[in-house]
Amino acid sequence: MADGRAPRGFGFGHYACDPDFEEQFVEWYQTQHVPDAIATGFYTHGSMFHHTSSNIPADESKYLLLYEIPHRDVEAALANVYPHFAEIQKDFDQQKGARRVFGGMYHIREREYDNHQPKPTNSVLVLRMEIDPAKVANTLAWYRGAHLPEAVKKGSPYHTAYLGERAATSPAPTLPDTTTQFLAIYESERGTAAKLAREFFELVPESTWTPAAKISRISSFYRVSPTLSSPTR
């Protein structure tokens, strides 16, 4: 991800908030929520992004919260911190006007990033993907061998790309999971998120993608908050 980091997983969530409480929600996220989540040891970094569309789909929302997970076994690590996450969820439920729309924990299956010079992330492109279960291995091989080199090559608007597969269903009722099995995320140091998405598909048009991977949603976001991290990271 940003600044040359290479986490093993990520937490992904769309959150909405009534306009009257947005300022309060953003302040709570930055000053309390992310520090509390990082203090559990499950996450190392957290960032907030803003949707570029004025016509946001019902299963997305204005705010995207993206967290970095350092653990190889996401499920095992999450199981160890469930009591803490239950308290964090309870705190979120008390935020006026805020609601969770979509979210989940993901293993990073494949990644590529420009490690010549670590770069900040000011915008992200998110692709929801459907992959034929019988062709996951072949699709990952295509993504790693053919797609990633094009997506992050010199001249690409994105410096980092990774494909996440949803972690096994969480037994914690306080953490509803997403029905999207795969998410492809692309990070850029540039802030013109919607324009970058157009540039990206000129570079790697959908016609060049393997037929086994279907893009069901394309969304772009720009940064709202600085990346918040644990003191030791």
Side-chain angles (χ1 to χ4, degrees):
M1 299 203 180
D3 302 320
R5 298 188 299 273
R8 294 188 172 96
F10 60 91
F12 179 97
H14 281 296
Y15 289 81
C17 189
D18 295 341
D20 290 345
F21 301 102
E22 279 191 271
E23 184 175 344
Q24 177 181 323
F25 172 68
V26 172
E27 181 179 359
W28 167 81
Y29 167 83
Q30 294 185 15
T31 62
Q32 183 174 340
H33 174 69
V34 173
D36 286 349
I38 289 174
T40 66
F42 184 69
Y43 298 124
T44 58
H45 298 77
S47 302
M48 175 183 277
F49 296 86
H50 193 302
H51 210 300
T52 60
S53 176
S54 58
N55 186 23
I56 300 173
D59 59 348
E60 293 188 351
S61 58
K62 184 174 182 177
Y63 294 104
L64 167 64
L65 308 186
L66 197 57
Y67 307 88
E68 298 180 21
I69 301 172
H71 310 287
R72 188 178 302 277
D73 189 334
V74 173
E75 289 93 342
L78 186 58
N80 290 331
V81 297
Y82 273 141
H84 302 290
F85 269 89
E87 289 301 315
I88 291 172
Q89 181 65 33
K90 188 182 301 182
D91 186 39
F92 171 79
D93 291 341
Q94 295 173 354
Q95 301 308 306
K96 293 182 179 179
R99 60 192 180 280
R100 180 174 178 163
V101 178
F102 175 101
M105 310 291 183
Y106 287 78
H107 298 279
I108 293 179
R109 296 295 302 270
E110 302 290 348
R111 70 159 63 85
E112 183 74 24
Y113 58 93
D114 180 357
N115 58 8
H116 294 96
Q117 182 178 357
K119 300 174 182 178
T121 295
N122 293 315
S123 64
V124 295
L125 172 69
V126 179
L127 308 182
R128 296 195 197 185
M129 294 175 60
E130 299 173 4
I131 299 177
D132 183 338
K135 298 179 179 179
V136 170
N138 289 340
T139 301
L140 291 177
W142 162 81
Y143 187 87
R144 177 178 61 253
H147 177 72
L148 283 178
E150 289 294 310
V152 191
K153 73 179 183 180
K154 185 176 180 180
S156 169
Y158 297 100
H159 59 68
T160 300
Y162 46 98
L163 179 66
E165 181 176 12
R166 185 169 60 89
T169 303
S170 166
T174 57
L175 294 172
D177 56 20
T178 170
T179 56
T180 298
Q181 188 70 10
F182 291 92
L183 288 175
I185 298 182
Y186 305 82
E187 301 184 2
S188 177
E189 65 179 326
R190 293 157 60 187
T192 53
K195 180 181 178 182
L196 292 178
R198 292 192 295 271
E199 289 182 27
F200 176 75
F201 282 103
E202 291 174 358
L203 182 69
V204 284
E206 286 190 63
S207 60
T208 66
W209 290 55
T210 174
K214 303 294 184 182
I215 301 173
S216 60
R217 178 70 56 78
I218 301 170
S219 304
S220 55
F221 304 82
Y222 60 88
R223 179 180 293 284
V224 176
S225 74
T227 297
L228 305 174
S229 63
S230 60
T232 59
R233 302 283 176 171

Coordinates of all heavy atoms in Angstrom, one line a residue, residues 140-206:
L140 N -5.9 -15.8 -10.9 CA -4.8 -15.2 -10.1 C -3.5 -15.2 -10.9 O -2.7 -14.2 -10.8 CB -4.7 -16.0 -8.8 CG -5.8 -15.9 -7.8 CD1 -5.5 -16.7 -6.6 CD2 -6.0 -14.4 -7.4
A141 N -3.3 -16.2 -11.7 CA -2.1 -16.3 -12.5 C -2.1 -15.2 -13.5 O -1.1 -14.6 -13.8 CB -1.9 -17.7 -13.1
W142 N -3.3 -15.0 -14.2 CA -3.4 -13.9 -15.1 C -3.2 -12.6 -14.5 O -2.5 -11.7 -15.0 CB -4.8 -14.0 -15.8 CG -5.2 -12.7 -16.5 CD1 -4.8 -12.3 -17.7 CD2 -5.9 -11.6 -15.9 NE1 -5.3 -11.0 -17.9 CE2 -6.0 -10.6 -16.8 CE3 -6.6 -11.5 -14.7 CZ2 -6.7 -9.4 -16.6 CZ3 -7.3 -10.3 -14.5 CH2 -7.3 -9.3 -15.4
Y143 N -3.8 -12.4 -13.3 CA -3.7 -11.1 -12.6 C -2.3 -10.8 -12.3 O -1.8 -9.7 -12.5 CB -4.6 -11.2 -11.4 CG -4.7 -9.8 -10.6 CD1 -5.7 -8.9 -11.0 CD2 -3.9 -9.5 -9.6 CE1 -5.9 -7.7 -10.3 CE2 -4.0 -8.3 -8.9 CZ -5.0 -7.4 -9.3 OH -5.1 -6.2 -8.6
R144 N -1.6 -11.8 -11.8 CA -0.2 -11.6 -11.4 C 0.7 -11.4 -12.6 O 1.6 -10.5 -12.6 CB 0.3 -12.8 -10.5 CG 1.7 -12.7 -10.1 CD 2.1 -14.0 -9.3 NE 1.9 -15.2 -10.0 CZ 0.9 -16.1 -9.7 NH1 0.0 -15.8 -8.8 NH2 0.8 -17.2 -10.4
G145 N 0.6 -12.3 -13.6 CA 1.5 -12.3 -14.7 C 1.3 -11.3 -15.8 O 2.2 -10.8 -16.4
A146 N 0.0 -11.0 -16.1 CA -0.3 -10.2 -17.2 C -0.9 -8.8 -16.8 O -0.5 -7.8 -17.3 CB -1.3 -10.9 -18.1
H147 N -1.8 -8.8 -15.8 CA -2.5 -7.6 -15.5 C -1.7 -6.6 -14.6 O -1.5 -5.5 -15.0 CB -3.8 -7.9 -14.8 CG -4.5 -6.7 -14.3 ND1 -5.2 -5.9 -15.2 CD2 -4.7 -6.2 -13.1 CE1 -5.7 -4.9 -14.5 NE2 -5.5 -5.0 -13.2
L148 N -1.1 -7.1 -13.5 CA -0.4 -6.3 -12.6 C 0.8 -5.5 -13.3 O 0.9 -4.3 -13.0 CB 0.1 -7.0 -11.4 CG -0.9 -7.4 -10.3 CD1 -0.3 -8.2 -9.2 CD2 -1.6 -6.1 -9.8
P149 N 1.6 -6.1 -14.1 CA 2.7 -5.4 -14.7 C 2.2 -4.2 -15.6 O 2.8 -3.2 -15.7 CB 3.4 -6.4 -15.6 CG 3.1 -7.7 -14.9 CD 1.7 -7.6 -14.4
E150 N 1.0 -4.4 -16.2 CA 0.4 -3.3 -17.0 C -0.2 -2.2 -16.1 O -0.1 -1.0 -16.4 CB -0.7 -3.9 -17.9 CG -0.1 -4.7 -19.1 CD 0.7 -3.8 -20.0 OE1 0.2 -2.8 -20.5 OE2 1.8 -4.3 -20.4
A151 N -0.8 -2.7 -15.0 CA -1.6 -1.7 -14.1 C -0.6 -0.8 -13.4 O -1.0 0.3 -13.1 CB -2.4 -2.5 -13.2
V152 N 0.6 -1.2 -13.1 CA 1.5 -0.4 -12.3 C 2.8 0.0 -13.1 O 3.7 0.4 -12.5 CB 1.8 -1.2 -11.0 CG1 2.6 -0.3 -10.0 CG2 0.6 -1.7 -10.3
K153 N 2.8 -0.2 -14.4 CA 4.0 0.1 -15.1 C 4.2 1.6 -15.2 O 3.3 2.4 -14.9 CB 3.8 -0.5 -16.5 CG 2.9 0.2 -17.5 CD 2.8 -0.5 -18.8 CE 1.9 0.2 -19.8 NZ 1.8 -0.4 -21.1
K154 N 5.4 1.9 -15.7 CA 5.7 3.3 -15.9 C 4.6 4.0 -16.8 O 4.3 3.5 -17.9 CB 7.1 3.5 -16.6 CG 7.5 4.9 -16.7 CD 9.0 5.0 -17.2 CE 9.4 6.4 -17.3 NZ 10.8 6.5 -17.9
G155 N 4.1 5.1 -16.4 CA 3.1 5.8 -17.1 C 1.7 5.5 -16.6 O 0.7 6.3 -16.9
S156 N 1.5 4.5 -15.7 CA 0.2 4.2 -15.1 C -0.1 5.3 -14.1 O 0.8 5.8 -13.4 CB 0.2 2.8 -14.5 OG -0.9 2.7 -13.7
P157 N -1.3 5.7 -13.9 CA -1.7 6.6 -12.9 C -1.6 6.0 -11.5 O -1.7 6.7 -10.5 CB -3.1 7.0 -13.2 CG -3.7 5.9 -14.0 CD -2.5 5.3 -14.8
Y158 N -1.5 4.7 -11.4 CA -1.5 4.0 -10.1 C -0.1 3.4 -9.7 O 0.6 2.9 -10.6 CB -2.5 2.9 -10.1 CG -3.9 3.5 -10.3 CD1 -4.5 3.4 -11.5 CD2 -4.6 4.1 -9.2 CE1 -5.8 3.9 -11.7 CE2 -5.8 4.6 -9.4 CZ -6.4 4.6 -10.6 OH -7.7 5.1 -10.8
H159 N 0.3 3.6 -8.5 CA 1.6 3.1 -8.0 C 1.5 1.8 -7.3 O 2.4 1.1 -7.0 CB 2.3 4.1 -7.1 CG 1.5 4.5 -5.9 ND1 1.3 3.6 -4.8 CD2 0.9 5.7 -5.5 CE1 0.6 4.3 -3.9 NE2 0.4 5.5 -4.3
T160 N 0.2 1.4 -6.9 CA 0.0 0.1 -6.1 C -1.3 -0.5 -6.6 O -2.3 0.2 -6.9 CB -0.1 0.4 -4.6 OG1 1.1 1.1 -4.2 CG2 -0.3 -0.8 -3.8
A161 N -1.3 -1.8 -6.7 CA -2.5 -2.6 -7.1 C -2.5 -3.9 -6.3 O -1.4 -4.5 -6.1 CB -2.5 -2.9 -8.6
Y162 N -3.6 -4.3 -5.9 CA -3.7 -5.6 -5.2 C -5.1 -6.2 -5.3 O -6.1 -5.4 -5.5 CB -3.3 -5.5 -3.7 CG -3.9 -4.3 -2.9 CD1 -5.0 -4.4 -2.1 CD2 -3.3 -3.0 -3.0 CE1 -5.5 -3.4 -1.4 CE2 -3.8 -1.9 -2.3 CZ -4.9 -2.1 -1.5 OH -5.5 -1.0 -0.8
L163 N -5.2 -7.5 -5.2 CA -6.4 -8.2 -5.3 C -6.7 -8.9 -4.0 O -5.9 -9.7 -3.5 CB -6.4 -9.2 -6.4 CG -7.6 -10.1 -6.7 CD1 -8.8 -9.3 -7.1 CD2 -7.3 -11.2 -7.7
G164 N -7.8 -8.7 -3.4 CA -8.2 -9.3 -2.1 C -9.3 -10.2 -2.2 O -10.3 -10.0 -3.0
E165 N -9.2 -11.3 -1.5 CA -10.3 -12.3 -1.4 C -10.9 -12.3 0.0 O -10.2 -12.3 1.0 CB -9.8 -13.7 -1.7 CG -10.9 -14.8 -1.7 CD -10.4 -16.2 -2.1 OE1 -9.1 -16.4 -2.2 OE2 -11.2 -17.1 -2.3
R166 N -12.2 -12.3 0.0 CA -12.9 -12.1 1.3 C -12.5 -13.3 2.3 O -12.4 -14.4 1.9 CB -14.4 -12.1 1.1 CG -15.2 -11.9 2.4 CD -16.7 -11.6 2.1 NE -17.3 -12.8 1.4 CZ -17.9 -13.8 2.0 NH1 -17.9 -13.8 3.3 NH2 -18.4 -14.8 1.3
A167 N -12.2 -12.9 3.5 CA -11.9 -13.9 4.5 C -13.1 -14.7 4.8 O -14.2 -14.3 4.6 CB -11.3 -13.2 5.8
A168 N -12.9 -15.9 5.4 CA -14.0 -16.8 5.8 C -15.0 -16.0 6.6 O -14.7 -15.1 7.4 CB -13.5 -18.0 6.5
T169 N -16.3 -16.4 6.5 CA -17.4 -15.7 7.2 C -17.1 -15.5 8.7 O -16.8 -16.5 9.3 CB -18.7 -16.5 7.0 OG1 -18.9 -16.6 5.6 CG2 -19.8 -15.7 7.6
S170 N -17.2 -14.3 9.1 CA -17.0 -14.0 10.5 C -18.1 -14.5 11.4 O -19.3 -14.3 11.1 CB -16.8 -12.5 10.7 OG -16.9 -12.2 12.1
P171 N -17.8 -15.2 12.5 CA -18.8 -15.6 13.4 C -19.4 -14.5 14.3 O -20.3 -14.7 15.1 CB -18.1 -16.7 14.3 CG -16.7 -16.3 14.3 CD -16.5 -15.7 12.9
A172 N -18.7 -13.3 14.2 CA -19.1 -12.2 15.1 C -20.3 -11.5 14.5 O -20.2 -10.9 13.4 CB -18.0 -11.3 15.3
P173 N -21.5 -11.5 15.1 CA -22.6 -10.8 14.6 C -22.5 -9.3 14.5 O -23.2 -8.6 13.8 CB -23.8 -11.1 15.5 CG -23.1 -11.5 16.8 CD -21.8 -12.1 16.4
T174 N -21.5 -8.7 15.2 CA -21.2 -7.3 15.2 C -20.5 -6.9 13.9 O -20.3 -5.7 13.7 CB -20.5 -6.8 16.4 OG1 -19.2 -7.6 16.5 CG2 -21.3 -7.1 17.7
L175 N -20.0 -7.8 13.1 CA -19.2 -7.5 12.0 C -19.8 -8.1 10.7 O -19.4 -9.1 10.2 CB -17.7 -8.0 12.1 CG -16.9 -7.3 13.2 CD1 -15.6 -8.1 13.4 CD2 -16.7 -5.9 12.9
P176 N -20.9 -7.5 10.2 CA -21.5 -8.1 9.0 C -20.6 -8.1 7.8 O -19.8 -7.2 7.7 CB -22.7 -7.1 8.7 CG -22.3 -5.9 9.4 CD -21.5 -6.3 10.6
D177 N -20.5 -9.2 7.1 CA -19.6 -9.3 6.0 C -20.2 -9.0 4.6 O -21.4 -8.8 4.5 CB -18.9 -10.6 6.0 CG -19.9 -11.8 5.9 OD1 -21.0 -11.5 5.4 OD2 -19.5 -12.9 6.2
T178 N -19.4 -8.8 3.7 CA -19.9 -8.5 2.3 C -20.1 -9.7 1.5 O -19.6 -10.8 1.8 CB -18.8 -7.6 1.6 OG1 -19.2 -7.5 0.2 CG2 -17.4 -8.2 1.6
T179 N -20.9 -9.6 0.5 CA -21.1 -10.7 -0.4 C -20.2 -10.7 -1.6 O -20.2 -11.6 -2.4 CB -22.6 -10.7 -0.9 OG1 -22.8 -9.5 -1.6 CG2 -23.6 -10.9 0.2
T180 N -19.4 -9.7 -1.7 CA -18.4 -9.6 -2.8 C -17.2 -10.4 -2.4 O -16.5 -10.1 -1.4 CB -18.0 -8.1 -3.1 OG1 -19.2 -7.4 -3.5 CG2 -17.0 -8.1 -4.2
Q181 N -16.8 -11.4 -3.2 CA -15.7 -12.3 -2.9 C -14.4 -11.7 -3.2 O -13.4 -12.0 -2.5 CB -15.9 -13.6 -3.6 CG -14.9 -14.7 -3.2 CD -15.2 -15.3 -1.8 OE1 -16.3 -15.0 -1.3 NE2 -14.3 -16.1 -1.3
F182 N -14.3 -10.9 -4.2 CA -13.0 -10.4 -4.6 C -13.1 -8.9 -4.8 O -14.1 -8.4 -5.4 CB -12.5 -11.0 -5.9 CG -12.1 -12.4 -5.8 CD1 -13.0 -13.5 -6.0 CD2 -10.8 -12.8 -5.4 CE1 -12.7 -14.8 -5.9 CE2 -10.5 -14.1 -5.2 CZ -11.4 -15.1 -5.5
L183 N -12.1 -8.1 -4.4 CA -12.0 -6.7 -4.6 C -10.6 -6.4 -5.2 O -9.6 -6.9 -4.6 CB -12.1 -5.9 -3.3 CG -13.5 -5.8 -2.6 CD1 -13.4 -5.1 -1.3 CD2 -14.5 -5.1 -3.5
A184 N -10.5 -5.7 -6.2 CA -9.3 -5.2 -6.8 C -9.1 -3.7 -6.5 O -10.1 -2.9 -6.8 CB -9.2 -5.4 -8.3
I185 N -8.0 -3.3 -5.9 CA -7.9 -1.9 -5.4 C -6.6 -1.4 -6.0 O -5.5 -2.0 -6.1 CB -7.8 -1.8 -3.9 CG1 -9.2 -2.3 -3.3 CG2 -7.6 -0.4 -3.5 CD1 -9.3 -2.2 -1.8
Y186 N -6.7 -0.1 -6.5 CA -5.5 0.5 -7.1 C -5.4 1.9 -6.5 O -6.3 2.6 -6.3 CB -5.8 0.7 -8.6 CG -6.1 -0.6 -9.3 CD1 -7.4 -1.1 -9.3 CD2 -5.2 -1.3 -10.0 CE1 -7.7 -2.3 -9.9 CE2 -5.5 -2.5 -10.6 CZ -6.7 -3.0 -10.6 OH -7.0 -4.2 -11.2
E187 N -4.1 2.2 -6.1 CA -3.8 3.4 -5.3 C -3.0 4.4 -6.2 O -2.1 4.0 -6.9 CB -3.1 3.1 -4.0 CG -3.9 2.2 -3.1 CD -3.1 1.9 -1.8 OE1 -2.1 2.5 -1.6 OE2 -3.6 1.1 -1.0
S188 N -3.3 5.7 -6.0 CA -2.5 6.7 -6.8 C -2.2 7.9 -5.9 O -2.9 8.2 -4.9 CB -3.4 7.3 -7.9 OG -2.7 8.3 -8.6
E189 N -1.0 8.5 -6.2 CA -0.6 9.7 -5.4 C -1.4 10.9 -5.9 O -1.4 12.0 -5.3 CB 0.9 9.9 -5.5 CG 1.4 10.3 -6.9 CD 2.9 10.5 -7.0 OE1 3.4 11.0 -6.0 OE2 3.5 10.1 -8.0
R190 N -2.0 10.8 -7.1 CA -2.8 11.9 -7.6 C -4.2 11.9 -7.1 O -4.7 10.9 -6.7 CB -2.8 11.8 -9.2 CG -1.4 12.0 -9.8 CD -1.3 11.4 -11.2 NE -2.3 12.0 -12.1 CZ -2.4 11.5 -13.3 NH1 -1.7 10.4 -13.7 NH2 -3.3 12.0 -14.1
G191 N -4.8 13.1 -7.0 CA -6.1 13.3 -6.3 C -7.3 13.3 -7.2 O -8.4 13.3 -6.7
T192 N -7.1 13.3 -8.5 CA -8.2 13.4 -9.5 C -8.7 12.0 -9.7 O -8.6 11.4 -10.8 CB -7.7 14.0 -10.8 OG1 -6.6 13.3 -11.3 CG2 -7.4 15.5 -10.6
A193 N -9.5 11.5 -8.8 CA -9.8 10.0 -8.8 C -10.7 9.6 -10.0 O -10.4 8.6 -10.6 CB -10.6 9.7 -7.5
A194 N -11.7 10.4 -10.3 CA -12.6 10.0 -11.4 C -11.8 10.0 -12.7 O -12.0 9.2 -13.6 CB -13.8 10.9 -11.5
K195 N -11.0 11.0 -12.9 CA -10.2 11.1 -14.2 C -9.2 10.0 -14.2 O -8.9 9.4 -15.3 CB -9.4 12.5 -14.2 CG -8.5 12.6 -15.4 CD -7.8 14.0 -15.4 CE -6.9 14.1 -16.6 NZ -6.1 15.4 -16.5
L196 N -8.6 9.6 -13.1 CA -7.6 8.5 -13.1 C -8.3 7.2 -13.5 O -7.7 6.4 -14.2 CB -7.1 8.3 -11.7 CG -6.2 9.5 -11.2 CD1 -5.7 9.2 -9.8 CD2 -5.0 9.6 -12.1
A197 N -9.5 7.0 -13.1 CA -10.2 5.7 -13.5 C -10.4 5.7 -15.0 O -10.2 4.6 -15.6 CB -11.6 5.7 -12.8
R198 N -10.7 6.8 -15.6 CA -10.8 6.8 -17.1 C -9.4 6.5 -17.7 O -9.3 5.7 -18.7 CB -11.3 8.1 -17.6 CG -12.8 8.4 -17.2 CD -13.3 9.6 -17.9 NE -12.7 10.8 -17.6 CZ -13.1 11.6 -16.6 NH1 -14.1 11.2 -15.8 NH2 -12.4 12.7 -16.3
E199 N -8.4 7.1 -17.2 CA -7.0 6.8 -17.7 C -6.6 5.4 -17.6 O -6.0 4.8 -18.4 CB -6.0 7.7 -16.9 CG -6.1 9.2 -17.3 CD -5.0 9.9 -16.5 OE1 -3.9 9.4 -16.2 OE2 -5.2 11.1 -16.2
F200 N -7.0 4.8 -16.4 CA -6.7 3.4 -16.2 C -7.3 2.5 -17.2 O -6.6 1.6 -17.7 CB -7.2 3.0 -14.8 CG -7.0 1.6 -14.4 CD1 -5.7 1.1 -14.1 CD2 -8.0 0.7 -14.4 CE1 -5.5 -0.2 -13.7 CE2 -7.9 -0.6 -14.1 CZ -6.6 -1.1 -13.8
F201 N -8.6 2.7 -17.5 CA -9.2 1.8 -18.5 C -8.8 2.1 -19.9 O -9.1 1.3 -20.8 CB -10.7 1.8 -18.3 CG -11.1 1.0 -17.1 CD1 -11.5 1.6 -15.9 CD2 -11.1 -0.4 -17.2 CE1 -11.9 0.8 -14.8 CE2 -11.5 -1.2 -16.1 CZ -11.9 -0.6 -14.9
E202 N -8.1 3.2 -20.2 CA -7.5 3.4 -21.5 C -6.2 2.6 -21.5 O -5.8 2.0 -22.6 CB -7.2 4.9 -21.7 CG -8.4 5.7 -21.8 CD -8.1 7.2 -21.9 OE1 -6.9 7.6 -21.8 OE2 -9.1 8.0 -22.1
L203 N -5.5 2.4 -20.4 CA -4.3 1.7 -20.3 C -4.5 0.2 -20.3 O -3.8 -0.6 -21.0 CB -3.6 2.1 -19.0 CG -2.2 1.4 -18.7 CD1 -1.2 2.0 -19.7 CD2 -1.7 1.7 -17.3
V204 N -5.5 -0.3 -19.5 CA -5.9 -1.7 -19.4 C -7.4 -1.9 -19.7 O -8.1 -2.1 -18.7 CB -5.4 -2.3 -18.1 CG1 -3.9 -2.6 -18.0 CG2 -5.8 -1.5 -16.9
P205 N -7.8 -1.7 -20.9 CA -9.3 -1.8 -21.2 C -9.8 -3.2 -20.8 O -9.1 -4.2 -20.8 CB -9.3 -1.7 -22.7 CG -7.9 -2.0 -23.2 CD -7.0 -1.6 -22.1
E206 N -11.1 -3.2 -20.5 CA -11.8 -4.4 -20.0 C -11.7 -5.5 -21.0 O -11.7 -6.7 -20.7 CB -13.2 -4.1 -19.7 CG -13.4 -3.3 -18.4 CD -14.9 -3.3 -18.0 OE1 -15.5 -4.3 -17.7 OE2 -15.5 -2.1 -18.0

